[in-house]
Amino acid sequence: MSESPLDAGALPVHDTDAEHRRQRLFAATEQLRLAGRGMEALHVLATEIAASSGDERHRVDLLGRLAQVATLEPPAVALAGLRHAAGQRLDEPSRGTVLALLATIAARTGHPDTDALLREAGTAHAASGDHSSARHLALGRAARSLSHGDLPGARAVLAALDPDAWVARRDAASIRAERVLVHLGLGRYQDAATAIRQAPAETASPHLPLDGLSTALDCLRMIAVGELPEAAALAVTMLGSDSAELSREVRALLVAVIGEVRYRRGEHDDARAILRPCLTTEKWPDRTIWTTTFCVAVRDPVLSTPTHLLTRVVSDLHRSVRAFLPVPYLGPRLVRAAVAAGDARAAGRITELLQQVATRTPVPLWRALADQARGLRDRDPDALRSAVDGLRTTAAWPALADALLDLACDTGTRSTEARDAAHEAAALYARIGAPGDQATADRRYAELTAAPPDRPVVDAPTRTGIEALTPAEERVAAMLAGGATKREAAATLFVSFHTVDTQLRSIYHKLGINNRMELARAWDRTRR
């Protein structure tokens, strides 16, 4: 391997052309990075930063490149390289920025030194008042909030940053990506899509690869809302066309997207083929890049059992929940996998994590997912019903379908309610392009249909009026009493027009009424 002209440290003093000097440095450090010598690239940049105190523009450009290289390297390399940089004889503004960069990488992986690093970076920034250190300190604090599931806190910090400002140009992609992640975690999928579309097109630097993170996040958004064919097509295209130019993080997210879609389609062998090479034995913190991918693979015992994947995922998520923020339904999936494996401890730990996120981010999406996890762990149909009701208020269709199927599979659910839930889950899976999951829901529906009906409880009071309606009938009654048409109700509830029409006739019969006006009056009386 040929030696880099910069292996010895800073550029020669006699190179007086500043722009040429900068380009030579950046080209050489990228050469080192591509050769698997990222630590050396970070050392070269740190040495040059220490020698550039008299040239403000050069210093800022060097710090921006240091941040970009650190982001592209495995976390262990980035952390060690930035610690080395912080130990150089830097001026206060540069030291504050390097410490903030170090704290940001630490926060994303859930490193135990995160808080101490943020305090140290804050002290350095207070002494310098530098704009670059302020920006990276804010990104570090936002990353810490995200690692703890505090999405409102992260949003508040990021709101103060302007990615369109000239001074923030080198950090604009990171700021935008963090904002998109917050939108996804809050279930604000339209806001995430808008932010991705409005971002300037990502262009490759002459010496750094096209990152593609916003595109990967867009694929995750599609997964979360049920645009499965679109997500898979984009991920496959991106992996195929720009594979050599993708960062490890982006590659990991795209693999997760493809694996998830193939599992939902029922293409398990294809999913295993793309996921198995990624089930690495890397140690923490480097394996955190793959945690979202691991969350996808956990649903498959063929992959997860031999590698003790569930144990590794639970351990990493307790350090940072960042991995399942863009696709929150991965949380209940882990609980489902733990219950199936008889691992009560893992089921309890993930349920607690989801409850903590729901407390810190009190939005319907996370409250519903926390209920779903509790329902799975405790085999509590009431908690699963609450989850279904909460998810109906969101655009997270795959999560709703999964919760409906969980309700249908719970042995404590009334058979009529379970059949309705399985039928609705199957219809919803069909709508989002998940024939594999649809087949599972159809099988559950067939089992329930073949089973004998619920036996009436002796001496149980006869249900009358609104109480006589099934949960599915209640949902139809609520919509129609509120003024929706049958077609609107069918579209909202993901069932056929015929199903709504049949349920409406049943509602009329049980309530002893004959038209929609009487239904509205009856519904209004019960809600007073």
Side-chain angles (χ1 to χ4, degrees), residues 310 333-344 346-347 373 376-379:
L310 181 62
R333 171 176 297 174
L334 295 173
V335 178
R336 194 179 302 116
V339 169
D343 191 339
L376 289 164
R377 180 195 63 184
D378 300 339
R379 294 179 170 82

Side-chain angles (χ1 to χ4, degrees), residues 368-437:
L369 295 172
D371 285 339
Q372 184 181 1
R374 184 166 53 84
L376 289 164
R377 180 195 63 184
D378 300 339
R379 294 179 170 82
D380 180 355
D382 288 336
L384 293 173
R385 290 187 194 99
S386 178
V388 168
D389 290 342
L391 289 168
R392 288 190 190 283
T393 68
T394 76
W397 291 0
L400 173 58
D402 291 346
L404 284 164
L405 185 55
D406 289 337
L407 181 61
C409 293
D410 191 282
T411 56
T413 306
R414 300 191 307 272
S415 61
T416 302
E417 180 184 13
R419 283 197 298 272
D420 286 343
H423 179 70
E424 187 178 352
L428 189 48
Y429 284 134
R431 183 166 183 167
I432 66 175
D437 289 338

